Amino acid sequence: MKAAFITQYGNDEKITLGQLDKPTYGSTQVLIKVAAAGVNPVDFHVRNGMLQDSDTHTLPLVLGWDAAGTVAEIGEDVENLKVGDEIFVFSPISLQGTYAEYLAVDANLVVAKPKNLNIAESAGVPLAAVTAWQGLIQDGQLKKGQTVLVLGGSGGVGGFAIQIAKSLGAHVITTASAKNEAYVKSLGADEFINYKETEFDDVVKNVDLVMVTTNGDDVVARSLNITKKGGHVVSTLDDIDAETVKESAVNFSRMWVQPNGKDLTAIRDLIEQGDISVKIDSIYPLEKTNEAILKSESQRAVGKIIVSID
C-alpha cells in the first residue's frame, strides 16, 4: 500500500512516500480503506522523536492518527460494522498511523461518520475533538453555567473546545489573533481577547476552567492564578511542578488524550445536531504530507489540515 512514513526520527525531510505491506487485522478489528487523514501537532512531535526512547513505536512508522474512509474488511468477531460503512476514527497513537491507504484498528474505536460532513471534514474531527471533549468533561469537570477560558481558540483543539463548551451551556472566553476574531466568535465564543495586544490574565479572573491549548510564556502558571479555588486548569502541552499546583488550590491536569469510541459517538451526535461545525484550513495530497505537517508545525493553521489519501 502507498504510505507516508519515517524510517528515522528528525525533521520533515525524514518523511518518505513509498510502499508498505497492507496491515493485518485481528478478530475484533476492522481494516479501513483510508480516504483522508487529519493532521495534528502530535504528528510532528512524534516525527521529531518525542517518543523514540519509550519503545512505543517501531520503524518504519506511518504518522497520523485521524482517519475517515470506508470499512474494507472485518474481523470474525465484529458485529457493529459491515463492509462499506463510511466511518471516522481516532486510532491509538501507540500504533501505526493513518497516512496510508489502509489502517487496521479495533472495531470499538470506529464510528459511523457524521451524515452532514464529507470525508475530508470527518477526517479533521476525531483526535482534536476527543481531546477537547476529554479535557473539558473528564479532566475539567465542566458544568452548565460555568465560565471557561480557552487559550488558543483558532486551533484545532481550541475550536472544538469552544463549541463543545457552548453545547454544555458554558460561558466561553477565548484568545486568538485579531484576524481570527470573527472566526472564534462564529464558533460561539462569548468574549474575545486579542493575545497580541492584551495579556489574558490582565482581563480574566475567577474562571471555573482554563483549557490550555497553547504553550510557552508560563501559560499554565498564569492560568492557575486566574482560576477559582477548586477550579480546573487542563493543559494539552505544558506541565508544571506539583508544589505550584498545591499552593494554587486549583486542580491541574496535563492531559494525554485516549481514543474512545463512546466519546467520538457523542461528538458525532453534536455534529449532526448542528452544535459543532468543522473548519478546514487546507487539504494536501499524500505526496505533500511533509508540507501538511510543516503547516501544522508553523501554528498558522485556522481549523484543520487534511491529507487526502485517494
Side-chain angles (χ1 to χ4, degrees), residues 153-215:
S154 63
V157 174
F160 285 120
I162 292 170
Q163 296 179 87
I164 292 169
K166 286 299 294 182
S167 76
L168 296 173
H171 180 85
V172 180
I173 309 167
T174 194
T175 63
S177 62
K179 66 183 177 65
N180 292 321
E181 179 178 0
Y183 170 61
V184 296
K185 286 183 176 178
S186 76
L187 299 178
D190 299 290
E191 299 181 47
F192 163 77
I193 300 168
N194 180 351
Y195 75 89
K196 293 185 177 180
E197 295 183 353
T198 305
E199 300 291 350
F200 69 86
D201 43 346
D202 285 342
V203 294
V204 177
K205 305 294 179 186
N206 215 34
V207 297
D208 297 286
L209 166 63
V210 182
M211 183 78 184
V212 185
T213 72
T214 59
N215 65 336

Side-chain angles (χ1 to χ4, degrees), residues 90 107-111 130 258-267:
F90 167 20
N108 62 4
L109 300 178
V110 179
V111 175
V130 171
Q258 297 296 327
N260 187 296
K262 290 182 179 179
D263 291 347
L264 188 55
T265 299
I267 291 163

Side-chain angles (χ1 to χ4, degrees), residues 1-3 19-25 31-33 72-73 100-104:
M1 68 173 181
K2 187 166 57 175
Q19 293 289 325
L20 294 175
D21 291 338
K22 183 188 295 187
T24 58
Y25 58 94
L31 185 70
I32 303 300
K33 178 69 171 66
E73 300 176 34
E101 291 182 291
Y102 290 95
L103 170 73

Side-chain angles (χ1 to χ4, degrees), residues 29 42 56 75 89 93 96 101 117 181 192 204 217 231 233 235-236 242 256 267 279 286:
Q29 294 185 309
V42 69
T56 300
V89 63
I93 293 170
Q96 291 285 328
E101 291 182 291
L117 296 185
E181 179 178 0
F192 163 77
V204 177
D217 203 24
V233 172
S235 173
T236 62
W256 184 260
I267 291 163
K279 165 73 171 179
L286 184 63

